[in-house]
Amino acid sequence: MHGHLVIHCPNCPSDEAEAQLGAPGDPSPIAALACLLCGHRWHPTEIPQLLAPDYDQAYGTAPALAEEELTLAMWAEGINLRAEAAREGHGPAVDHSGYRLFYLRQAAYLDRAAHAMAVAARGRLITQQPADDAADAAVMAADLLLHLDLELGQVHVEGALGADLPQWQSPEGLRGYVRQEYIAWREWESAVRRSRPHA
């Protein structure tokens, strides 16, 4: 993870803000911060204390959205088939760690899709309503993941900040939690791959 503070807009999921300079002689050189996505302005003393990976950090090496959508659809079908087989006594259902990883990747997919739609809406390539709907879906998936982690005693939480912290209790916080956990999972996956002996 890069060593810089990510400033999240307190009004929307964006992590893109610009500093607006004060008038000459003002005690603070920065008069306000402005969100490049929604236009919300706030004072530097109101910077949210949300420390989470930004979109590039979390998803820079992630599969393309279309590829991830197909993977998730096939995975969901496999989970359902295993659950049905388990009910008939033909092997175990997917365990908690398998469900959790599915929910993590689903939440990350929806977070990425919502971010892409928000950018498209800002550029007036689409109307605002589908972007808002995508954002709502991303928040719901993130909330599901966070509450699953709390119910499981946080045994699968890999990020530096636990699921029980108050900073996650907002729409942008929930989505930030997904990015923290996704990048932690990708780093763990890379470490496991490197540790395997080459054939």
Side-chain angles (χ1 to χ4, degrees):
M1 197 182 296
H2 302 301
H4 67 272
L5 175 64
V6 176
I7 299 176
H8 290 261
C9 173
N11 190 56
C12 79
S14 175
D15 51 30
E16 301 178 50
E18 67 177 3
Q20 298 183 337
L21 302 181
D26 282 355
S28 173
I30 299 178
L33 292 164
C35 176
L36 297 178
L37 182 60
C38 72
H40 180 72
R41 295 176 77 248
W42 69 99
H43 192 269
T45 58
E46 302 172 49
I47 292 177
Q49 299 302 306
L50 179 62
L51 302 178
D54 63 26
Y55 288 91
D56 288 338
Q57 289 171 324
Y59 306 129
T61 60
L65 281 172
E67 180 183 341
E68 188 72 348
E69 183 177 11
L70 180 59
T71 298
L72 288 168
M74 294 173 62
W75 197 347
E77 185 178 352
I79 288 173
N80 290 334
L81 288 173
R82 282 189 59 176
E84 186 178 329
R87 283 193 297 271
E88 296 174 358
H90 303 299
V94 174
D95 61 15
H96 286 157
S97 64
Y99 273 113
R100 197 268 180 176
L101 183 54
F102 173 79
Y103 287 132
L104 169 61
R105 288 182 65 170
Q106 182 179 59
Y109 165 79
L110 291 170
D111 183 40
R112 293 167 63 200
H115 181 64
M117 292 189 75
V119 171
R122 185 180 76 188
R124 300 189 180 180
L125 301 174
I126 61 171
T127 60
Q128 189 60 44
Q129 189 59 53
D132 291 344
D133 292 343
D136 289 344
V139 170
M140 288 176 61
D143 188 58
L144 177 63
L145 174 70
L146 182 130
H147 281 89
L148 178 65
D149 282 347
L150 292 174
E151 288 170 16
L152 296 176
Q154 305 194 62
V155 295
H156 301 297
V157 174
E158 296 290 338
L161 304 177
D164 55 352
L165 293 184
Q167 81 158 19
W168 306 127
Q169 300 305 314
S170 68
E172 67 272 14
L174 287 165
R175 290 176 63 177
Y177 177 74
V178 172
R179 292 193 293 277
Q180 171 189 268
E181 290 305 297
Y182 187 83
I183 197 171
W185 167 68
R186 295 284 291 190
E187 289 172 350
W188 172 85
E189 186 185 46
S190 295
V192 168
R193 205 178 301 125
R194 287 193 302 269
S195 69
R196 289 178 183 149
H198 295 291

